[in-house]
Amino acid sequence: MQKGEVIRRKARDIERFVGMEAFMREIHRRGYRVAENSGQIVIFCNQAPVRWLTGDPVPLSSKESGPKS
C-alpha cells in the first residue's frame, strides 16, 4: 500500500497468520508506523510521523477509583 491508508487488525490474527516478529520486520522494512491498543493493531501505511492529539490520562487516586456509595 502506497496511498497512506490506515488498517486495523486484531493482534491475535497477526500472530496466528504471520507472527508478530515477522510482521514487525515488514513494518520496519516499509517504514510504516504501528500502534497497539487493547489487542488491536493500527497500521499507518505511510512514512509520515504520527502525532497523538491526546496525552496519557491523568491517573486517578485510589479515593477516586474506589467504589462509590
Side-chain angles (χ1 to χ4, degrees):
M1 298 202 169
Q2 299 297 325
K3 299 177 186 173
E5 281 106 358
V6 175
I7 300 171
R8 180 179 55 90
R9 296 287 182 262
K10 291 182 181 178
R12 69 175 187 216
D13 291 344
I14 292 172
E15 193 63 59
R16 183 174 55 210
F17 293 122
V18 297
M20 194 58 72
E21 191 173 312
F23 169 77
M24 290 305 297
R25 276 195 308 271
E26 188 63 16
I27 288 293
H28 289 294
R29 185 185 75 77
R30 293 179 186 215
Y32 290 173
R33 305 291 191 263
V34 64
E36 185 271 333
N37 177 266
S38 191
Q40 297 289 315
I41 302 292
V42 180
I43 307 136
F44 300 89
C45 300
N46 61 48
Q47 296 179 356
V50 175
R51 182 172 63 103
W52 296 108
L53 300 179
T54 57
D56 289 334
V58 176
L60 297 174
S61 71
S62 60
K63 202 165 44 171
E64 293 172 314
S65 62
K68 305 286 183 198
S69 38

